[in-house]
Amino acid sequence: MEEITQHDLLIIGGGAAGLRAAIAAAEVNPDLKIGIVSKVYPTRSHTVSAEGGLAAAIKDYDSLDQHAYDTIKGSDFLADQDAVEYFVQHAKEEIMQMEHWGCPWSREKDGTLAVRAFGGMSVKRTIFAADKTGFYMIHTLFERTLKHENIKRYDEWYATKITTDQHGVTGVIAMQMKTGKLHAFSAKAIIVCTGGAGRMYRFTTNGGIKTGDGMYLAYVAGASLKDMEFIQFHPTALARNGVLITEAARGEGGYLINKDGERFLKNYLPEKMELGPRDMISRAIMSEIRAGRGFKSPYGNYIHLDLRHLGDQLIKEKLPLVREIAMEFAGIDPAKEPIPVTPAQHYTMGGIDVNLDMETSVPGLYAAGETNCISINGANRLGSNSLTDCLVFGKVAGEKAAQEISKKTSKTTAQMKTALEDEEKNIARLLEQKGSESVPAIRMTMEETMDQNAGIYRDQKALEDGLNTLLELQQKLQHVQLKDKSKIFNTELINCLELKSMLTLGEATIRCAMARKESRGSHTRSDFPDRDDKNFMIHHVVTKKDNAMSLTNAPVTITRWQPEVRKY
Ligand SMILES: Cc1cc2nc3c(=O)[nH]c(=O)nc-3n(C[C@H](O)[C@H](O)[C@H](O)COP(=O)(O)OP(=O)(O)OC[C@H]3O[C@@H](n4cnc5c(N)ncnc54)[C@H](O)[C@@H]3O)c2cc1C
């Protein structure tokens, strides 16, 4: 490889958003040199584990306005409504595009696309491919990228830095994990598609790779993070280990039952029952458990997800992965026994602040997918909007970046060489340094702190304590000693870099949560139980200033839907 590899466009991340962006850019300009840097082989991105489906108003009984309203209401009126309107308008064409690229969506008996119910959606509008939607989508997208010869992949390369000069981005420094060698890639534009940061928490449905690296890299490069206090907890993860049991299980008719055999949601969401939004159902489950109506177990108390009445045939046909997970990870056949479930961290609503063109405030730096915050999710995402979000806004990012690049001349590479040398020194120092701290110990304390102090319920004291712990852990990380000194697939080194990202993002989460003295969507302050539109119809924006976190506000864009009491 040349010392500096030249690309026009570099995409960090090979999940749904990254692959969709790459295809869009390649279609705009087949001569662009496009690179995808991904720390895992693209088809192992977290997208592959998405189960339930993706939303779009495709049926005659549905409408774009209804999808927009449901999304905005779901967001507890914190979504930016111009972004939501764009999203719903372009959702259907993306579903059709995927169909034409060969994605095997499930069908109704008459051959039309099948849809299922999902929480907080007023009608059935979630398109799916059994309960392995993400699996089929990522393979469809991956295959499509192979058609474009101008897309080059760097699989199992870990991006450690986004480089900039006074005009904007200049490139990316990344490590080839199998050799441990760092390399500089120059680029005229960069799209960050690195997914969420759920691994800040211990009890999470997120894959081990979801460590928020891109949010951190963009933040260090000068971009802002937005709405970091909003973390989604999914109501139904397997009680023992947090593996997701998709909302499709309730969409197909599953019940939530407490230890008294009661469908307790009748006391919380009598109209919506199991199809209420995630924030409300998660709180209802926690209330039942706290009131002693959960099942006790040494690994935490839980409630039951009962699918028995759906029958063996429907479960096998529409929920094969739920069945497989229940059998493999809990030894339970869901046609015969209820599944023990409890809420777990699931989605990062906040992320890199972008405008409707997916641009950050750093020229040439874009972001799409779970890693960005446009925001269509506001304070609470509706299940099945995200996969569509990756397609709709991944495409926008790819197109906009490709169009802007054609106006640019090539960048100087002298500054990239210095950046590469600096990064080589940083990594060498990390590998050699002596110290008393260990990566796993710091990570475990961080996860416990986030679970306990910044979980479903928060208050000032818990948040302050949590912040102090994270700041201490950031100090400890400076004195870490790595046991593994090898260059080849040094996962301890990678874990250490990921930990640095998460400690910063955890700090942002807690600082925003402390500032938001109200309860809205997924953010429940026991000390401020009501929504406060007068003071908090705002986004929180976090920026790096003089090596510290600066917190400011930004207005919420309202187009046609005024905030109202959020009742289901
Ligand atoms: C279990 C589960 C089920 C879900 N089910 C649904 C569903 O049914 N419907 C729905 O709408 N949403 C669902 N979601 C949410 C949705 O799947 C995700 O939000 C979405 O897939 C994220 O896609 P992405 O492209 O943004 O990121 P990801 O798919 O997470 O990909 C991130 C990419 O970034 C790369 N990367 C990260 N850091 C680095 C680095 N430092 N250097 C290089 N590369 C890096 C990774 O290699 C990876 O390729 C689910 C989520 C989970 C966890």
Side-chain angles (χ1 to χ4, degrees), residues 304-440:
H304 273 157
L305 172 62
D306 196 348
L307 307 183
R308 288 175 295 182
H309 55 287
L310 302 181
D312 196 41
Q313 198 188 336
L314 185 141
I315 293 175
K316 281 184 180 151
E317 203 176 298
K318 292 212 164 141
L319 302 168
L321 189 57
V322 167
R323 183 169 180 270
E324 197 179 312
I325 290 170
M327 287 177 131
E328 294 290 331
F329 293 97
I332 281 171
D333 177 351
K336 297 194 179 127
E337 273 179 85
I339 309 172
V341 291
T342 185
Q345 190 288 338
H346 184 58
Y347 188 87
T348 320
M349 260 88 67
I352 303 168
D353 187 12
V354 290
N355 62 19
L356 282 179
D357 287 341
M358 305 305 113
E359 290 169 320
T360 68
S361 55
V362 178
L365 185 62
Y366 300 75
E370 188 171 342
T371 207
N372 84 4
C373 181
I374 315 172
S375 147
I376 62 160
N377 298 313
N380 174 63
R381 169 181 81 105
L382 288 192
S384 77
N385 267 349
S386 295
L387 291 172
T388 320
D389 170 349
C390 288
L391 297 175
V392 170
F393 293 116
K395 180 181 183 210
V396 172
E399 285 182 349
K400 293 289 169 186
Q403 285 155 4
E404 285 302 309
I405 282 169
S406 48
K407 299 179 200 155
K408 288 190 180 177
T409 50
S410 196
K411 291 268 181 190
T412 160
T413 51
Q415 174 254 8
M416 295 280 318
K417 272 191 191 162
T418 320
L420 175 61
E421 282 160 17
D422 287 350
E423 204 59 1
E424 281 170 345
K425 280 185 207 144
N426 287 341
I427 299 288
R429 199 179 313 125
L430 194 55
L431 281 171
E432 283 153 21
Q433 84 180 21
K434 302 242 178 297
S436 51
E437 306 293 342
S438 84
V439 172

Side-chain angles (χ1 to χ4, degrees), residues 264-334:
F264 56 87
L265 286 169
K266 68 177 190 291
N267 303 322
Y268 301 85
L269 290 156
E271 302 223 340
K272 281 266 173 196
M273 294 296 286
E274 280 81 2
L275 292 175
R278 291 178 176 173
D279 53 342
M280 292 182 174
I281 296 193
S282 290
R283 283 195 292 272
I285 295 173
M286 292 313 291
S287 299
E288 290 297 294
I289 290 176
R290 285 176 165 194
R293 291 190 289 272
F295 297 88
K296 287 202 172 20
S297 91
Y299 47 86
N301 299 343
Y302 59 82
I303 51 113
H304 273 157
L305 172 62
D306 196 348
L307 307 183
R308 288 175 295 182
H309 55 287
L310 302 181
D312 196 41
Q313 198 188 336
L314 185 141
I315 293 175
K316 281 184 180 151
E317 203 176 298
K318 292 212 164 141
L319 302 168
L321 189 57
V322 167
R323 183 169 180 270
E324 197 179 312
I325 290 170
M327 287 177 131
E328 294 290 331
F329 293 97
I332 281 171
D333 177 351

Side-chain angles (χ1 to χ4, degrees), residues 12-18 37-40 42 45-54 118 133 157-159 193-196 205-207 209-210 213-214 217 244 246 346-347 368-371 381 383-388 390:
I12 313 178
V37 177
S38 177
K39 68 178 175 180
V40 295
S45 303
H46 189 74
T47 298
V48 76
S49 64
E51 300 172 24
L54 71 172
F118 244 67
T133 309
W157 282 72
Y158 184 94
C193 300
T194 46
T205 65
N206 283 193
I209 57 172
K210 293 195 77 171
D213 308 342
L217 296 181
L244 180 76
T246 171
H346 184 58
Y347 188 87
E370 188 171 342
T371 207
R381 169 181 81 105
S384 77
N385 267 349
S386 295
L387 291 172
T388 320
C390 288

Side-chain angles (χ1 to χ4, degrees), residues 494-545:
I494 297 291
N495 287 346
C496 184
L497 299 173
E498 292 172 338
L499 185 56
K500 191 167 188 196
S501 302
M502 290 190 286
L503 286 172
T504 305
L505 300 174
E507 181 190 341
T509 302
I510 296 192
R511 285 196 190 278
C512 291
M514 283 167 74
R516 189 171 287 280
K517 297 186 189 322
E518 65 156 355
S519 290
R520 183 186 297 270
S522 67
H523 171 73
T524 312
R525 290 277 308 242
S526 331
D527 43 355
F528 297 98
D530 298 324
R531 195 175 89 187
D532 175 0
D533 285 346
K534 192 159 161 275
N535 294 305
F536 290 104
M537 269 300 288
I538 48 167
H539 296 294
H540 280 142
V541 178
V542 170
T543 317
K544 190 163 182 263
K545 287 243 163 73

Side-chain angles (χ1 to χ4, degrees), residues 62 73 112 155 158 186 214 233 309 363 417 439 541:
D62 205 353
K73 183 176 173 187
T112 57
D155 299 333
Y158 184 94
S186 72
F233 294 85
H309 55 287
K417 272 191 191 162
V439 172
V541 178

Side-chain angles (χ1 to χ4, degrees), residues 89-299:
Q89 280 159 14
H90 293 82
K92 182 176 170 183
E93 68 199 37
E94 282 301 307
I95 307 283
M96 296 309 164
Q97 179 64 83
M98 289 292 285
E99 160 102 358
H100 294 164
W101 286 342
C103 192
W105 302 130
S106 293
R107 302 276 166 181
E108 307 286 6
K109 285 208 172 68
D110 65 3
T112 57
L113 292 189
V115 284
R116 61 166 46 122
F118 244 67
M121 301 282 187
S122 53
V123 295
K124 286 187 181 181
R125 66 164 66 96
T126 299
I127 295 104
F128 55 96
D131 60 355
K132 301 183 180 180
T133 309
F135 171 87
Y136 290 111
M137 281 180 62
I138 196 98
H139 283 272
T140 304
L141 289 165
F142 181 74
E143 278 179 22
R144 193 70 193 176
T145 61
L146 300 179
K147 177 178 148 42
H148 296 281
E149 283 172 8
N150 58 331
I151 299 177
K152 180 155 172 45
R153 292 200 331 270
Y154 301 91
D155 299 333
E156 299 184 332
W157 282 72
Y158 184 94
T160 64
K161 194 174 177 64
I162 292 170
T163 58
T164 53
D165 65 12
Q166 69 276 25
H167 307 296
V169 298
T170 53
V172 169
I173 310 288
M175 183 197 297
Q176 185 175 31
M177 289 156 72
K178 80 173 175 201
T179 60
K181 205 172 157 358
L182 285 157
H183 192 79
F185 297 87
S186 72
K188 297 174 193 167
I190 295 166
I191 310 177
V192 182
C193 300
T194 46
R199 281 280 156 170
M200 295 188 286
Y201 290 78
R202 166 164 303 183
F203 199 66
T204 172
T205 65
N206 283 193
I209 57 172
K210 293 195 77 171
T211 51
D213 308 342
M215 291 182 198
Y216 172 75
L217 296 181
Y219 167 77
V220 173
S224 303
L225 302 175
K226 191 164 102 181
D227 290 347
M228 291 299 287
E229 63 271 46
F230 297 111
I231 300 286
Q232 178 159 82
F233 294 85
H234 194 292
T236 61
L238 263 195
R240 194 183 284 262
N241 51 24
V243 177
L244 180 76
I245 303 294
T246 171
E247 195 162 301
R250 282 172 284 131
E252 295 296 341
Y255 298 153
L256 292 176
I257 311 271
N258 66 17
K259 86 167 182 0
D260 302 329
E262 198 188 12
R263 276 179 79 190
F264 56 87
L265 286 169
K266 68 177 190 291
N267 303 322
Y268 301 85
L269 290 156
E271 302 223 340
K272 281 266 173 196
M273 294 296 286
E274 280 81 2
L275 292 175
R278 291 178 176 173
D279 53 342
M280 292 182 174
I281 296 193
S282 290
R283 283 195 292 272
I285 295 173
M286 292 313 291
S287 299
E288 290 297 294
I289 290 176
R290 285 176 165 194
R293 291 190 289 272
F295 297 88
K296 287 202 172 20
S297 91
Y299 47 86

